[in-house]
Amino acid sequence: MSRTGAPRRDLAGAPRRDLAGAPRRDGRFLNPGGEAAGQPLAAVWKLMRAGQGEAWPPRVVDPPQPPPEEPPPGHLAVTLIGHDTFLLRFHGGPTLLTDPIWSERCSPFSFAGPRRVRAPALAMAALPPIDAVLLSHNHYDHLDLPSLRALRAPRILTGLGVGAFLARQGIGGAEELDWWDEAALPNGAVATFLPARHFAARGVLDRCRTLWGGFAIRTGEGRSVLFAGDTAYGSHLAEIGRELGPFAVGLIPIGAYEPRWFMEVVHMNPEEAVRARADLRVDRAVAMHFGTFKLTQEAIDEPPRALTAAREAAGLPPEAFRVPGFGETLVLPLG
């Protein structure tokens, strides 16, 4: 059933096999399967006392990359701008932007909180016209109010409750989706909001009042692409693969995973990311959520190194799960 209680239908009005929207308890969203999302505050205090882990360099300067261009027919151009911010260009459209953050910090404060070690690899002024922003959830490293205000995107697709929050901040018109809800995109494409095992919060009092998730994009030709958002490993990944896969291309997070006793309920490590690729039925995976903001204890270069080891242990070739350079545009086949 949909969030309105009516039978779920696709954009053409045809009935869909029942897929459960996000469960709730006492006004707060829960993870797939109905378990509470995130860690209790006592665990957060314990983590804060555990130290910062491996030091990161204060600044990393990457080599310049050619500007992104529209891909040829049958291909997707994927440009890593930083963290989970990607420019996705389909031939003939749509042109999409994921979790845009150009700010120096991912924090409620301009003077404190995680500071980026890499500048955005593409200036906002250099972006082509954007058809829609795909906004996975409300954490500061994903929902950046200054960037959204500056972008003036014609559309924002996001989870339940996030649109209302944005409207209170003067950013109107966001379209709210429950898990498995669809939204039409240009050139016959369709976006589907997907379950994720994570949580949402902008402060202490609003935990899980808004919904988190990822996105599937199905082109007018029937090819599928995945933006997984933030998620821990879980059985929801195989469900997504069964329902909407296979995916020609999948953006899968690999970073912010140590210490495991805390992070395992919100983020995957590289070994789990390789397993997730198989569960999701992704052909060519692209790594994200690494090397931009120091959010957890692992070293800055540990996620790509661990991903290479996990990929090789699984017997996969390099093109099966790539770590893009910052600013690099990967032109990947959708066939």
Side-chain angles (χ1 to χ4, degrees):
M1 304 292 282
S2 74
R3 62 181 182 273
T4 62
R8 286 188 180 277
R9 294 179 177 273
D10 63 20
L11 291 176
R16 299 177 61 191
R17 192 177 70 76
D18 186 47
L19 293 167
R24 304 190 209 195
R25 182 189 306 131
D26 300 328
R28 299 182 191 271
F29 290 102
L30 304 171
N31 270 326
E35 73 273 16
Q39 291 278 14
L41 287 178
V44 176
W45 305 139
K46 179 181 176 183
L47 178 70
M48 293 174 66
R49 297 192 301 269
Q52 297 297 310
E54 297 290 335
W56 280 31
R59 209 68 175 175
V60 176
V61 178
D62 295 293
Q65 299 279 354
E69 297 182 355
E70 184 174 359
H75 289 73
L76 171 71
V78 179
T79 305
L80 172 58
I81 298 171
H83 199 52
D84 273 14
T85 306
F86 282 80
L87 176 66
L88 304 180
R89 302 188 73 178
F90 295 81
H91 179 80
T95 298
L96 308 172
L97 196 62
T98 65
D99 287 358
I101 175 168
W102 268 260
S103 291
E104 185 67 11
R105 294 186 188 273
C106 57
S107 167
F109 310 108
S110 62
F111 55 87
R115 188 172 190 170
R116 66 189 317 137
V117 303
R118 285 180 159 98
L122 187 66
M124 193 179 292
L127 291 171
I130 301 297
D131 293 308
V133 166
L134 307 182
L135 189 58
S136 66
H137 65 301
N138 75 350
H139 284 157
Y140 287 92
D141 56 322
H142 300 264
L143 191 163
D144 182 53
L145 289 170
S147 296
L148 291 173
R149 291 184 179 118
L151 278 166
R152 299 177 181 268
R155 294 180 71 191
I156 300 173
L157 305 182
T158 191
L160 297 179
V162 181
F165 166 78
L166 291 174
R168 293 193 295 271
Q169 308 304 315
I171 303 171
E175 301 166 45
E176 296 185 352
L177 303 172
D178 197 354
W179 290 341
W180 305 110
D181 279 350
E182 295 180 342
L185 291 169
N187 203 27
V190 175
T192 305
F193 197 52
L194 302 175
R197 189 170 166 235
H198 197 58
F199 78 112
R202 299 285 284 187
V204 176
L205 301 180
D206 68 339
R207 285 173 61 87
C208 301
R209 298 288 186 183
T210 64
L211 186 58
W212 54 93
F215 288 88
I217 303 99
R218 186 178 71 250
T219 69
E221 295 75 34
R223 307 301 186 186
S224 294
V225 171
L226 172 79
F227 168 60
D230 260 11
T231 185
Y233 187 79
S235 60
H236 66 288
L237 301 170
E239 181 182 34
I240 292 168
R242 287 193 303 270
E243 295 295 332
L244 297 179
F247 296 95
V249 179
L251 278 59
I252 298 177
I254 67 166
Y257 52 83
E258 291 290 353
R260 290 311 288 154
W261 67 264
F262 185 92
M263 302 308 300
E264 66 181 355
V265 301
V266 291
H267 290 155
M268 292 187 286
N269 64 19
E271 181 181 0
E272 290 169 326
V274 169
R275 291 162 54 195
R277 173 195 168 273
D279 292 351
L280 291 160
R281 301 170 65 204
V282 168
D283 182 18
R284 295 171 185 263
V286 178
M288 65 179 184
H289 204 267
F290 69 96
T292 307
F293 298 101
K294 189 181 190 310
L295 304 174
T296 49
Q297 293 183 353
E298 73 271 9
I300 188 171
D301 56 351
E302 181 59 24
R305 185 167 57 240
L307 178 67
T308 297
R311 177 182 53 73
E312 291 176 348
L316 297 172
E319 62 270 19
F321 207 140
R322 297 181 62 173
V323 178
F326 285 76
E328 182 180 9
T329 298
L330 305 177
V331 180
L332 304 174
L334 293 176

